Amino acid sequence: MSNKTFYVTTPIYYPSGKLHIGSAYTTIACDVLARYKRMMNYEVFYLTGLDEHGQKIQQKAQEAGITPQAYVDNMAVGVKNLWDLLNISYDKFIRTTDDYHEKVVADIFERLLAQGDIYLGEYSGWYSVSDEEFFTESQLAEVYYDDAGQVIGGLAPSGHEVELVSEESYFFKLSKYADRLVAFFKEHPEFIQPKGRMNEMLKNFIEPGLEDLAVSRTTFTWGVKVPSDPKHVVYVWIDALVNYITALGYGQDEHGNFDIFWHNDDQHEVLHMIGKDILRFHSIYWPIILMALDLPLPTRLVAHGWFVMQDGKMSKSKGNVVYPEMLVERFGLDPLRYYLMRSLPVGSDGTFTPEDYVGRINYELANDLGNLLNRTIAMINKYFDGSISTYAENVTDFDGDLAEIVAENLADYHKQMNAVNFPGALEAVWNIIARTNKYIDETAPWLLAKDESKQEELAAVMAHLAASLRLVAHLIQPFMMSTSNAIMEQLGFGLNFDLENLSLASMPAGVQVVEKGSPIFPRLDMEQEIAYIKEQMAADKTTADADWNPEEVELKSTKEDIKFDTFDAAEIRVAEVKEVEKVEGSDKLLRFRLDAGDGQDRQILSGIAKYYPDEQELVGKKVQIVANLKPRKMMKKYVSQGMILSAEHTGGLTLLTVDPSVPNGSIIG
Ligand code: MSP
């Protein structure tokens, strides 16, 4: 048994709808890592599964007129089929409704209660009796205030009145562990990837003080019941997070895998792959649960960005959802796995476009890689009856450079794979492919073939091409299994992979390539295929976006949350541009004279000259200004009495104008 272990997990998905390419991304990403580490002779355990409890699932089942259990059983079949289609090599598929999991969740809850980490308290919120549901203030369709600005009631989205109700709830004392968590972050700066996100967690959530977390609910029943107080069910996130250890056998009589895989040191890694939206749960709640249970913490949390569409988030109502099944049916599995891994930049969002999808298949897979293989096989057949001679170094003038580039990129590939940078790793592979294609042009085998005295060189060139393709086949094996296998088989190497001891020279001697290579990627008619993908996306359009659940969405903003009062302190008014001119001595500034409706003209300097080369077009426009900004001197000479609001976007910058019918001085808020 190998002593290096690698435990990799996907989030457990809510089975509340059909999974799209976003969830496929995470699951394929973990699969790539699992396959890579297995090839590097780690003992690997790859876990995925479903998060099946909670109110949302209960509601979905109700709508479907079946029991929640029947609902999730049915969904689980669909999800497993999808993972089979995507050739996901998971070792275990956990469902939070599995008996062993439910039992351990209940035990953990009771233990934390007995330890005093969990206590019974009160949870208050806006409750609609007719809907039998709690709402946060921001979810209310209408909010009623008293004259002091305090919220005194409102309407639920259904239109029913809500009232302030307190319900009994168990709370987890997160604050007790805050210092230990901060210390852990400091000692393990690599714990969260991308690195910057650790600071975000510290600044936004931990430093302002961790509030105790409500960890039980009494408003619905579909969940794990608290044994000592069964009207409570365990909060779905606690239930979900502990899947990472219950799946290994933690808390059960037989806990073999837990003993093997739940370690964190040089030889043992625990890696949770997650979307950026659930980082807070994984970087704060999960470590604290583990601390409370006296267990080691995971090695790394890798938070990836989202696949979005050109018109924003994928949503059924927009008709822009892409399902993996359609892409696999039309183009095969390998292009999907390649595309997803290659095109989502590390740590940020990526845009899926049909153009990009078909383009990458044609250019990177069919042209760069496919042609290299076809040409190589054809030449080895033509010049040497299909047999590859032994790899020999430095026979032609170009061998040295090829070997160098290959070695560099091979090292980079491993580095990027360990850093979970898939686009980086694939780029390294494509550098090798590009360099090898160039090597054909440089060595011009068709000329060598005409010269009897160049036979040795010609053989060396063929051996280099085969060796390079063999190396590429190894490197892409975790990503594109059948393509990799096809390359190895067409070149006569068979499916013998040794990624740990890989080099050009590690190529076995005396092999025979196939007589006629079949193209590994067909060339696509771009226009036709792009149109096909678009049609399929539109066909799935529904009028209601069943997947939209605002409560679960962590809103994205680049700045920290502010209180309403902070915003309210700014006075934003409508002002009309009376005059505007370029400021002498500055190529950035425009000087405005504005009428903000208060009987006095004001002057504002704004650094937008380059966006409005013809600044006079602004005269007469009504813009929005911050009227109570402290005046400041600019260019030593002009006082600027406020700020004009503008929107920055990829196309430049646009001043925010308002309809001419709005009177000057109107307050915006
Ligand atoms: N059930 C919780 C996770 C519990 S883990 C202990 C959950 N489930 S989810 O189904 O809503 O989301 C699962 C993952 O899918 C999240 O990491 C989320 O970021 C990811 N994605 C959902 N849409 C996505 C894209 N469009 N692109 C990439 N990943 C996205 O949260």
Side-chain angles (χ1 to χ4, degrees):
M1 186 185 284
S2 147
N3 45 19
K4 297 184 288 184
T5 65
F6 182 67
Y7 178 35
V8 60
T9 67
T10 70
I12 46 173
Y13 304 100
Y14 292 124
S16 48
K18 223 164 107 82
L19 299 185
H20 54 55
I21 57 160
S23 330
Y25 170 83
T26 320
T27 312
I28 293 173
C30 290
D31 190 54
V32 168
L33 281 180
R35 287 174 186 272
Y36 171 73
K37 291 285 186 175
R38 284 188 203 112
M39 287 180 84
M40 295 302 283
N41 297 318
Y42 281 72
E43 197 180 337
V44 172
F45 195 89
Y46 173 8
L47 174 71
T48 188
L50 293 176
D51 190 355
E52 300 186 341
H53 288 129
Q55 191 168 19
K56 189 166 155 185
I57 301 289
Q58 191 174 327
Q59 272 167 1
K60 286 263 173 185
Q62 244 157 25
E63 282 161 24
I66 51 178
T67 63
Q69 189 64 54
Y71 177 83
V72 294
D73 284 350
N74 186 25
M75 295 301 283
V77 173
V79 173
K80 282 187 176 168
N81 284 342
L82 176 60
W83 297 158
D84 285 348
L85 179 73
L86 304 185
N87 211 342
I88 303 299
S89 62
Y90 59 81
D91 294 292
K92 190 176 173 86
F93 189 98
I94 188 173
R95 301 177 52 189
T96 51
T97 53
D98 288 337
D99 290 347
Y100 70 89
H101 172 81
E102 290 192 346
K103 177 167 185 315
V104 180
V105 170
D107 291 349
I108 288 177
F109 197 94
E110 289 295 334
R111 171 172 164 190
L112 297 179
L113 197 58
Q115 272 177 210
D117 284 317
I118 289 180
Y119 64 92
L120 189 59
E122 275 207 338
Y123 175 85
S124 53
W126 297 103
Y127 190 68
S128 154
V129 182
S130 323
D131 298 306
E132 283 188 90
E133 204 180 334
F134 271 98
F135 298 96
T136 62
E137 196 180 307
S138 59
Q139 288 175 317
L140 296 178
E142 205 168 308
V143 180
Y144 304 149
Y145 298 90
D146 65 11
D147 50 8
Q150 292 296 314
V151 181
I152 50 167
L155 297 181
S158 60
H160 293 115
E161 289 237 357
V162 293
E163 52 187 308
L164 192 62
V165 167
S166 298
E167 69 160 358
E168 206 182 74
S169 171
Y170 285 93
F171 286 85
F172 194 133
K173 283 185 197 157
L174 296 182
S175 50
K176 181 174 152 192
Y177 294 93
D179 291 345
R180 270 179 69 186
L181 186 63
V182 172
F184 178 81
F185 278 15
K186 300 249 151 80
E187 280 160 35
H188 299 87
E190 311 285 330
F191 178 54
I192 298 175
Q193 212 170 301
K195 263 182 154 181
R197 297 214 177 243
M198 181 180 274
N199 232 351
E200 208 177 287
M201 293 295 125
L202 278 166
K203 267 181 53 194
N204 296 349
F205 303 111
I206 305 176
E207 281 164 12
L210 285 178
E211 278 176 31
D212 291 352
L213 179 70
V215 287
S216 75
R217 299 285 187 270
T218 53
T219 45
F220 61 91
T221 52
W222 181 239
V224 177
K225 292 196 168 44
V226 174
S228 57
D229 194 355
K231 65 178 180 296
H232 289 262
V233 295
V234 176
Y235 175 42
V236 70
W237 268 100
I238 301 286
D239 177 2
L241 287 164
V242 301
N243 94 87
Y244 299 132
I245 51 176
T246 62
L248 293 178
Y250 174 79
Q252 294 145 63
D253 298 339
E254 182 52 65
H255 40 80
N257 280 328
F258 184 77
D259 292 341
I260 298 172
F261 290 100
W262 196 261
H263 300 284
N264 174 1
D265 58 38
D266 293 352
Q267 298 284 308
H268 305 88
E269 177 163 20
V270 173
L271 187 151
H272 298 308
M273 178 82 81
I274 54 175
K276 60 179 185 178
D277 53 318
I278 54 174
L279 179 60
R280 179 157 54 109
F281 299 97
H282 283 80
S283 65
I284 299 176
Y285 304 159
W286 179 224
I288 288 181
I289 295 172
L290 289 167
M291 285 174 188
L293 293 174
D294 239 339
L295 292 175
L297 268 45
T299 325
R300 270 197 285 178
L301 302 175
V302 178
H304 61 74
W306 278 39
F307 263 108
V308 294
M309 298 293 149
Q310 262 164 337
D311 52 354
K313 241 189 99 169
M314 272 186 264
S315 107
K316 282 187 191 155
S317 55
K318 283 191 199 157
N320 67 357
V321 186
V322 187
Y323 293 107
E325 289 89 344
M326 177 266 288
L327 294 171
V328 174
E329 249 162 56
R330 185 78 174 182
F331 307 100
L333 173 59
D334 283 7
L336 175 70
R337 292 179 60 112
Y338 174 76
Y339 177 84
L340 295 180
M341 295 302 106
R342 178 90 195 235
S343 65
L344 190 72
V346 179
S348 49
D349 290 348
T351 311
F352 176 96
T353 67
E355 290 80 1
D356 200 23
Y357 195 79
V358 180
R360 280 191 189 269
I361 299 181
N362 259 5
Y363 301 124
E364 291 159 20
L365 297 180
N367 272 9
D368 298 346
L369 177 58
N371 275 353
L372 177 61
L373 179 67
N374 288 344
R375 290 166 87 189
T376 302
I377 298 276
M379 289 190 289
I380 296 175
N381 272 311
K382 186 165 170 196
Y383 304 134
F384 296 102
D385 282 335
S387 70
I388 309 171
S389 65
T390 314
Y391 175 87
E393 271 166 12
N394 288 323
V395 179
T396 80
D397 291 347
F398 309 100
D399 298 358
D401 189 58
L402 175 70
E404 203 176 294
I405 300 283
V406 167
E408 250 170 45
N409 281 288
L410 176 62
D412 193 41
Y413 167 89
H414 287 296
K415 196 172 136 205
Q416 302 305 343
M417 289 298 272
N418 287 311
V420 193
N421 176 353
F422 302 119
L426 287 169
E427 202 181 311
V429 181
W430 258 253
N431 289 341
I432 295 177
I433 295 171
R435 183 64 192 85
T436 312
N437 272 318
K438 190 170 149 212
Y439 176 83
I440 301 183
D441 300 337
E442 289 167 341
T443 53
W446 48 94
L447 298 180
L448 297 177
K450 288 188 185 142
D451 188 340
E452 269 299 309
S453 70
K454 297 274 170 73
Q455 284 301 294
E456 193 199 341
E457 276 183 48
L458 184 61
V461 170
M462 294 304 117
H464 272 81
L465 294 178
S468 176
L469 274 162
R470 173 178 171 273
L471 192 130
V472 166
H474 275 73
L475 304 186
I476 62 171
Q477 171 67 211
F479 297 87
M480 295 188 276
M481 294 77 75
S482 28
T483 303
S484 158
N485 293 350
I487 297 174
M488 291 293 272
E489 281 176 336
Q490 290 195 23
L491 288 168
F493 293 125
L495 300 183
N496 307 309
F497 292 94
D498 181 2
L499 188 57
E500 256 193 318
N501 303 301
L502 183 65
S503 68
L504 286 177
S506 65
M507 177 181 99
V511 293
Q512 185 85 17
V513 306
V514 294
E515 259 174 55
K516 183 144 181 36
S518 46
I520 40 178
F521 296 103
R523 184 169 308 282
L524 303 174
D525 176 330
M526 295 273 288
E527 251 173 60
Q528 183 188 317
E529 297 309 320
I530 290 166
Y532 177 83
I533 299 179
K534 287 185 176 163
E535 259 165 45
Q536 295 295 313
M537 282 158 66
D540 285 319
K541 185 175 160 115
T542 57
T543 41
D545 185 352
D547 283 346
W548 192 52
N549 185 354
E551 205 180 350
E552 273 163 23
V553 178
E554 186 159 322
L555 295 173
K556 290 185 276 190
S557 47
T558 51
K559 298 182 184 167
E560 264 176 65
D561 288 354
I562 55 166
K563 293 225 160 67
F564 177 77
D565 294 350
T566 313
F567 167 73
D568 199 40
E571 184 175 313
I572 306 175
R573 282 173 182 265
V574 174
E576 186 179 334
V577 178
K578 309 279 279 193
E579 284 172 21
V580 58
E581 62 174 26
K582 295 199 170 77
V583 172
E584 228 187 278
S586 162
D587 45 13
K588 291 208 185 86
L589 290 174
L590 290 180
R591 174 168 164 239
F592 289 85
R593 185 166 146 208
L594 298 141
D595 173 2
D598 47 7
Q600 342 154 259
D601 285 355
R602 69 169 71 208
Q603 167 169 286
I604 294 182
L605 277 83
S606 178
I608 58 167
K610 80 165 177 202
Y611 302 106
Y612 290 97
D614 176 17
E615 74 284 351
Q616 293 310 317
E617 71 179 273
L618 295 171
V619 175
K621 290 252 155 71
K622 298 212 177 195
V623 295
Q624 308 183 21
I625 65 161
V626 182
N628 62 337
L629 260 191
K630 221 171 150 178
R632 53 176 190 165
K633 259 275 163 69
M634 296 180 83
M635 305 288 292
K636 295 205 178 124
K637 146 161 171 215
Y638 303 104
V639 63
S640 183
Q641 300 161 315
M643 189 174 109
I644 307 180
L645 298 186
S646 59
E648 246 187 293
H649 46 85
T650 45
L653 178 145
T654 309
L655 285 189
L656 295 177
T657 52
V658 292
D659 193 87
S661 64
V662 183
N664 295 347
S666 305
I667 297 281
I668 299 172

